[in-house]
Amino acid sequence: MSFVKKFIEPPEAQPPCYKTEEEMKEKYKYWRFRQLYATFIGYAVYYFVRKNISLAVPLMTAPNAGLGLTKADLGKVMSFGDVVYGVSKSFNGFLGDRCNPRYFMAFGLLMSAVANFFFGMSATVGVLIFFWCLNGWFQGMGAAPCSRVITHWYHSKERGVYWGIWNTSHQVGLSIVLVMAGYLGQYMGWRYIFWVPAALAGLTSLFLLERLRDTPASLGLPEPEVYTGEQKLEEAKIEKEEKQTTKEFFHFLCHNVFNNPALWAICIANFLIYVLRYGFVNWAPAFLTDKGINLANIGWMVAGFEIAGLCGSLLAGWLTDKFFAGQRSPVCVAYMLLSTLAIYGFWKIETNNAFVYGAMLLLVGFLIYGPQMLVAVMATDLATKKAAATAVGMTGLFGYASGIVSGWGLGHVLDHYGWDHAFLGLVICSAVTIIPFVCCWNARPRQVSELNK
């Protein structure tokens, strides 16, 4: 019962743990860094047990696998998993604004590890869908606690940079698991692509329990505005986090989240970006396999896609904070224009040279991940700290609903029409993504700052 209470209720605010401003800043520096690396490592490992499947697809659909699965079958598995993940991310976003991130995140990762273990023991489409959907649900418990932690520990004027740093956990986790899965699949078989990451995820859940904490107030520290100098220490109070009833919280969401046209535009943009992102993550290995490149090399190439995305998202966050005063849309529009050209170039390459494909994957990854990261930052800017996880969950619902297109849809297109039609769809998708970003051009943090205070 005490665990359930810890899981559901954030810890109470504590008395000040410092006597001087210097001591406060020293403690704040330590805890901010610890919160950042704990959420970074934890969320990176969430990807170990979510996107390992893409490297298993070529092996599971191979005739010698004896499973009798087609690309459309595996596309269906990925699509159902992504849709369930999107619903879970939205639902758990609502819970994440009101729960203890320490236990919330650790429990989700542990259960994802269990689902992966049983997925690796399965063979038929129905059972594979069941366990991948179960995995998708618990995967939805990863982003919400991270959103809560980052928005409570970092001021909005520095959030573009620090959210960008945390967001690179996506690329780091996916890059590592792609390389790992490439070797596991090449030398040990497809089932180990799920079993080994599951073991690592189980261990990481214990790491999260030991390292992660909640808000600054729960550790006896003031709000980040005091640490950054926006507010004087003597004026600061460590107050218990305001507890709203479910009805009051839902009213706040209706007023400031669900009734916000800019947030809906961001959600549509996220849907389209995720079609691109997972269109490449899910199907690039199969495309490159058709070009005669071996699976271990493909793991490195798709990992490069993720590392380039890491760089692209860091640059995008820095540009919005440094040159656009927190306005995110101009950077997103520029990235998506270039992304459209890069995807077209990848499609039209007339070569079987692995190096050339690798270089083009780097460029596409760099350009897709910048806007993907900024969508979440824009959502938290608009929703404020009170509903940051809910807003990110809302964009996540749209993002992973795109799994119907990037998984099942593209799998069907590939089985019946081939790669040219699939890439034409991706190019159009990239071009259309520009429109919602233009529509929310003036959705800036300063417009919602009054809701924060």
Side-chain angles (χ1 to χ4, degrees), residues 39 42-43 46 50 85 88-89 92 104-105 108-109 137-147 166:
T39 52
Y43 203 62
Y46 261 86
R50 180 154 92 243
Y85 172 64
S88 172
K89 193 172 181 180
N92 284 304
F104 199 80
M105 190 174 185
L109 186 56
W137 182 264
F138 289 112
Q139 283 286 319
M141 298 177 71
C146 295
S147 302
W166 168 78

Side-chain angles (χ1 to χ4, degrees), residues 100-409:
N100 189 329
R102 179 184 181 187
Y103 296 93
F104 199 80
M105 190 174 185
F107 179 75
L109 186 56
L110 177 62
M111 296 309 296
S112 274
V114 172
N116 263 256
F117 177 77
F118 284 106
F119 185 93
M121 296 182 69
S122 306
T124 61
V125 174
V127 177
L128 290 170
I129 288 174
F130 172 78
F131 282 115
W132 206 243
C133 286
L134 191 65
N135 183 52
W137 182 264
F138 289 112
Q139 283 286 319
M141 298 177 71
C146 295
S147 302
R148 176 178 171 84
V149 167
I150 299 299
T151 52
H152 276 84
W153 283 90
Y154 293 93
H155 189 268
S156 61
K157 291 183 180 179
E158 57 180 356
R159 206 172 291 153
V161 170
Y162 285 101
W163 195 291
I165 293 171
W166 168 78
N167 190 75
T168 61
S169 62
H170 298 70
Q171 291 84 22
V172 171
L174 190 45
S175 299
I176 293 172
V177 76
L178 287 171
V179 173
M180 183 196 313
Y183 284 104
L184 288 170
Q186 186 83 18
Y187 299 109
M188 300 181 72
W190 70 267
R191 296 184 190 276
Y192 284 87
I193 292 176
F194 300 96
W195 290 342
V196 173
L200 295 173
L203 292 173
T204 305
S205 67
L206 300 177
F207 166 83
L208 289 173
L209 279 176
E210 195 278 326
R211 291 277 94 186
L212 198 57
R213 295 295 184 272
D214 192 30
T215 62
S218 71
L219 295 169
L221 292 166
E223 292 298 296
E225 289 81 359
V226 179
Y227 177 76
T228 58
E230 299 289 323
Q231 183 181 356
K232 292 182 179 179
L233 180 61
E234 54 268 23
E235 298 173 356
K237 294 180 181 178
I238 299 175
E239 298 178 351
K240 180 179 178 180
E241 187 174 3
E242 180 185 351
K243 294 217 174 180
Q244 298 173 301
T245 65
T246 300
K247 183 178 179 180
E248 289 171 336
F249 184 58
F250 188 72
H251 182 265
F252 176 85
L253 294 181
C254 288
H255 232 67
N256 303 322
V257 177
F258 302 141
N259 197 31
N260 192 324
L263 194 53
W264 287 106
I266 293 167
C267 288
I268 293 169
N270 208 39
F271 177 93
L272 297 168
I273 289 170
Y274 269 71
V275 171
L276 300 172
R277 179 185 176 190
Y278 286 126
F280 274 87
V281 170
N282 290 340
W283 298 110
F287 174 73
L288 295 170
T289 299
D290 287 352
K291 294 294 181 180
I293 302 168
N294 74 60
L295 197 61
N297 286 339
I298 290 171
W300 281 104
M301 292 169 67
V302 184
F305 174 85
E306 296 297 319
I307 294 299
L310 180 156
C311 299
S313 58
L314 283 175
L315 178 63
W318 179 76
L319 288 172
T320 61
D321 285 353
K322 184 73 173 177
F323 297 106
F324 293 93
Q327 189 178 14
R328 323 293 179 187
S329 288
V331 175
C332 291
V333 169
Y335 268 64
M336 292 316 304
L337 281 168
L338 295 172
S339 172
T340 304
L341 297 175
I343 295 169
Y344 182 81
F346 183 88
W347 170 25
K348 291 299 183 179
I349 294 172
E350 295 293 340
T351 180
N352 289 329
N353 188 303
F355 179 80
V356 175
Y357 277 117
M360 289 303 298
L361 273 176
L362 291 177
L363 182 59
V364 174
F366 182 94
L367 294 167
I368 287 175
Y369 276 100
Q372 181 266 324
M373 182 276 291
L374 289 176
V375 161
V377 183
M378 293 170 78
T380 59
D381 287 342
L382 290 164
T384 78
K385 288 187 288 189
K386 289 183 180 179
T390 301
V392 172
M394 182 175 162
T395 63
L397 174 61
F398 277 74
Y400 286 93
S402 72
I404 298 171
V405 179
S406 62
W408 196 353

Side-chain angles (χ1 to χ4, degrees), residues 30-42:
Y30 167 79
W31 281 108
R32 281 190 4 147
F33 179 64
R34 177 163 158 173
Q35 296 292 85
L36 186 62
Y37 77 69
T39 52
F40 185 101
I41 293 171

